[in-house]
Amino acid sequence: MDPVHASILPEVPGEKTKIGTSLVDTAAATIQSFGPTKQIHQHLCAFHFYADDMTRQVEAHHYCGHLNEDMRQCLIYDRPDADARLIGLEYIVTEELFLTLPDTEKPMWHSHEYEVKSGVLFLPGVPGPVERKDLEKVAKTYGKTIHFWQVDRGDELPLGLPQVMMALTRDGQLYPSLAKDVESRYGVSFEKERANRAYMEGPTHGIHPKANAAGIGLKTVLREIECKPSVQSESVPRVFV
Amino acid sequence: MASSDKAPDSMPVGDGSVPPGKPLTMGHQVIDKSAQMLQTLKPIKQMSQHVCTFAVYGHDMSRQIEAHHYITRVNQDFLQSAVYDSNDSSAHLIGVEYIVSDRIFDTLSHEEQKLWHSHDHEVTSGMWVNPGVPEMIQKSELENIAHTYGKFWCTWQVDRGDRLPLGAPALMMSPQVVNMGVIKPELVRVRDNKFKISTEELRKQRANFAVSKPGNARAADYWMHTGKGFAIDIEHVEMKMLEGPKYP
């Protein structure tokens, strides 16, 4: 299926927000503090594909904040607009933290070296020199991305299971149409950026062989289980006697 | 390879902090600030509500957590929220929840509905709260939320001691009036002290809310009808490839 841009996909079903409903939003926005989301300082545009299907590629707008020098957490939207759909999240860690992950965990994480060095990952609106100061660090990191809403297959709602996502690792993987679309919308040139970023280096120890789905692929599966603890347990106090 | 209901093989070492790592350097703070001044961050600006509530792990209902939702209302029938484990600036992003009206919920397939949970009890019991917003202003929104269904995936099991987000995403369920859905009083007490509220008072004030008619066809709160929960496994499969490029 040819990839399409998020803006031509079907709208989220539902009525327009009523005035009365939005009053609460306005009140809440002025009274409440938004500690965790105030930490989100950066918009980063990149591409993901499904860990079991490289032919399905998605433009991903990351909104990131630092938890500390070694870790960022990002919300992922399908477009950088007010009506954007929250489609997933990503955690980004330095090589140092990545290496402490158990081997069974590493395949769920992907490397960022290629995306950064090829220019396809960028910070919209930020001038090259400032952007590069951050991206030279990102080039050495690993990310764990989960998407919950498969907008690329036309889902109007977030249906089904969470999907592990992977990132581009070499030339020839990204659909030229997706690349051209992003380049023209943002007035950037991936080729030009690639030249500017030639000096950057990936992880010090090289890309770990277990990262990037260990070069195979990953899929999520649902399993039904007995409720733990037992729903029949009498040791749990009941509200109604 | 990994399962939401199995503990991680090993825990990343460090000094015990969650996550491990060095404090943000001055250099990085400067880069962040420069970028922030130049970028608009529109989707983030749409978050208009902070809600504090509780959630229960679908695969182990003895594990209950305080959850902080930062919510964007997309339209009258749909909301999306980023979920954190506290309302501090150092809060961990632990997952995402989607909320739909009962109208939209009824359009979902039976299989899909099993992954969702109801909100009426969560609202009428006083669990669901907008800290800082007077109850009067909250009322119409609360009545709205009481008629919705949620789907909440947790990607970082901080309460299990995970110092980094490990494993497969876990499906969460909502507080309910019976059995394992009852939130431990101690958790509620801690929350109430922090935000200077009384969940018990809120419960009394909300007693007359009209709740969603319990459609018999609805498969939400699957555990309540069947005693069964869900776990997610992540398995290796051959990736469907494009012709030409290799991977990785």
Side-chain angles (χ1 to χ4, degrees):
Chain A
M1 175 182 135
D2 266 353
V4 291
H5 186 253
S7 57
I8 76 164
L9 293 171
E11 285 197 0
V12 179
E15 292 179 357
K16 279 181 73 97
T17 306
K18 301 199 176 101
I19 303 283
T21 312
S22 61
L23 275 180
V24 165
D25 286 1
T26 318
T30 45
I31 298 168
Q32 297 187 306
S33 69
F34 283 70
T37 56
K38 282 218 195 83
Q39 303 313 305
I40 298 173
H41 288 159
Q42 191 184 59
H43 167 209
L44 191 154
C45 180
F47 299 91
H48 294 148
F49 57 86
Y50 291 79
D52 61 352
D53 190 349
M54 188 191 281
T55 71
R56 293 177 59 198
Q57 303 180 0
V58 181
E59 183 181 317
H61 291 268
H62 302 61
Y63 290 83
C64 312
H66 279 269
L67 273 172
N68 61 28
E69 183 67 21
D70 291 81
M71 183 169 183
R72 304 176 207 216
Q73 46 191 21
C74 318
L75 295 174
I76 301 176
Y77 293 83
D78 64 342
R79 68 195 82 173
D81 307 319
D83 59 348
R85 279 171 280 221
L86 175 59
I87 61 174
L89 46 70
E90 177 163 349
Y91 300 101
I92 298 177
V93 301
T94 53
E95 181 182 15
E96 202 179 315
L97 287 193
F98 173 81
L99 293 173
T100 68
L101 297 171
D103 278 355
T104 44
E105 175 69 27
K106 291 187 173 91
M108 289 183 260
W109 296 69
H110 55 266
S111 55
H112 287 132
E113 179 178 354
Y114 171 79
E115 281 187 284
V116 171
K117 294 194 63 165
S118 65
V120 310
L121 185 157
F122 65 103
L123 307 182
V126 179
V130 178
E131 185 187 38
R132 273 170 240 136
K133 282 227 85 57
D134 191 41
L135 293 185
E136 61 193 29
K137 294 190 210 274
V138 177
K140 294 170 173 292
T141 61
Y142 291 85
K144 181 178 190 179
T145 302
I146 312 280
H147 279 200
F148 308 105
W149 195 340
Q150 300 186 49
V151 291
D152 68 300
R153 71 175 181 191
D155 286 4
E156 294 181 332
L157 292 167
L159 306 174
L161 302 182
Q163 301 292 311
V164 180
M165 306 297 281
M166 288 291 137
L168 304 166
T169 54
R170 58 172 81 215
D171 286 343
Q173 292 171 350
L174 180 61
Y175 285 118
S177 57
L178 273 187
K180 284 202 189 53
D181 192 35
V182 169
E183 284 178 303
S184 67
R185 257 184 292 123
Y186 289 100
V188 299
S189 157
F190 295 153
E191 271 311 303
K192 267 223 208 89
E193 255 320 283
R194 182 190 291 242
N196 291 332
R197 299 181 192 179
Y199 74 93
M200 294 186 189
E201 286 171 358
T204 314
H205 301 270
I207 294 173
H208 197 284
K210 288 221 166 341
N212 301 309
I216 315 172
L218 293 172
K219 176 183 152 86
T220 46
V221 177
L222 189 68
R223 175 169 39 97
E224 202 170 294
I225 56 176
E226 285 301 315
C227 246
K228 192 171 88 147
S230 161
V231 168
Q232 310 308 317
S233 166
E234 281 312 307
S235 63
V236 176
R238 297 174 72 85
V239 174
F240 297 136
V241 186
Chain B
M1 211 202 74
S3 299
S4 58
D5 61 343
K6 301 209 167 47
D9 286 349
S10 59
M11 189 57 61
V13 296
D15 59 5
S17 52
V18 184
K22 302 173 279 308
L24 198 58
T25 58
M26 185 52 68
H28 227 137
Q29 290 184 49
V30 169
I31 300 173
D32 263 11
K33 272 262 151 334
S34 328
Q36 195 188 6
M37 290 194 296
L38 298 160
Q39 299 187 306
T40 55
L41 309 180
K42 274 201 207 122
I44 306 303
K45 297 216 170 71
Q46 300 309 305
M47 289 175 176
S48 55
Q49 287 188 57
H50 162 221
V51 163
C52 174
T53 183
F54 297 92
V56 180
Y57 281 86
H59 64 265
D60 180 355
M61 302 193 69
S62 67
R63 288 175 54 201
Q64 305 177 343
I65 58 171
E66 186 181 304
H68 291 262
H69 295 261
Y70 290 83
I71 300 178
T72 299
R73 177 173 274 290
V74 172
N75 63 34
Q76 189 64 27
D77 298 85
F78 187 90
L79 304 102
Q80 53 193 16
S81 83
V83 191
Y84 295 82
D85 61 346
S86 80
N87 61 326
D88 302 323
S89 53
S90 57
H92 306 97
L93 173 62
I94 60 170
V96 166
E97 177 161 347
Y98 300 101
I99 298 171
V100 301
S101 64
D102 43 16
R103 240 165 31 97
I104 298 292
F105 182 80
D106 287 340
T107 67
L108 300 175
S109 72
H110 189 77
E111 284 311 297
E112 177 63 35
Q113 289 189 357
K114 290 180 187 172
L115 304 175
W116 296 68
H117 56 264
S118 61
H119 284 139
D120 9 22
H121 175 73
E122 196 169 339
V123 169
T124 56
S125 63
M127 298 284 148
W128 178 286
V129 158
N130 290 68
V133 180
E135 187 74 355
M136 268 273 287
I137 301 185
Q138 287 187 53
K139 190 159 183 285
S140 66
E141 176 73 338
L142 288 173
E143 286 176 324
N144 198 302
I145 300 287
H147 289 245
T148 62
Y149 291 81
K151 185 182 196 183
F152 177 4
W153 296 107
C154 171
T155 48
W156 192 345
Q157 299 192 40
V158 181
D159 67 303
R160 180 173 70 179
D162 291 8
R163 292 195 213 111
L164 286 171
L166 305 173
L171 184 64
M172 307 299 281
M173 288 289 134
S174 54
Q176 297 294 340
V177 74
V178 291
N179 210 279
M180 293 319 296
V182 175
I183 301 300
K184 296 171 187 140
E186 186 49 35
L187 276 183
V188 180
R189 202 171 9 248
V190 165
R191 190 277 291 269
D192 283 4
N193 285 340
K194 224 187 309 177
F195 294 101
K196 313 272 187 290
I197 58 177
S198 160
T199 298
E200 181 53 26
E201 271 312 303
L202 295 176
R203 190 185 63 76
K204 293 199 186 114
Q205 290 170 27
R206 299 177 187 180
N208 294 329
F209 277 17
V211 295
S212 212
K213 288 201 198 63
N216 288 328
R218 289 183 184 148
D221 310 319
Y222 192 63
W223 67 273
M224 277 177 76
H225 316 302
T226 63
K228 299 248 193 320
F230 290 111
I232 297 284
D233 297 319
I234 293 185
E235 295 171 356
H236 271 302
V237 290
E238 285 291 324
M239 190 188 284
K240 183 169 170 199
M241 299 292 292
L242 287 165
E243 273 204 38
K246 297 208 293 244
Y247 185 80

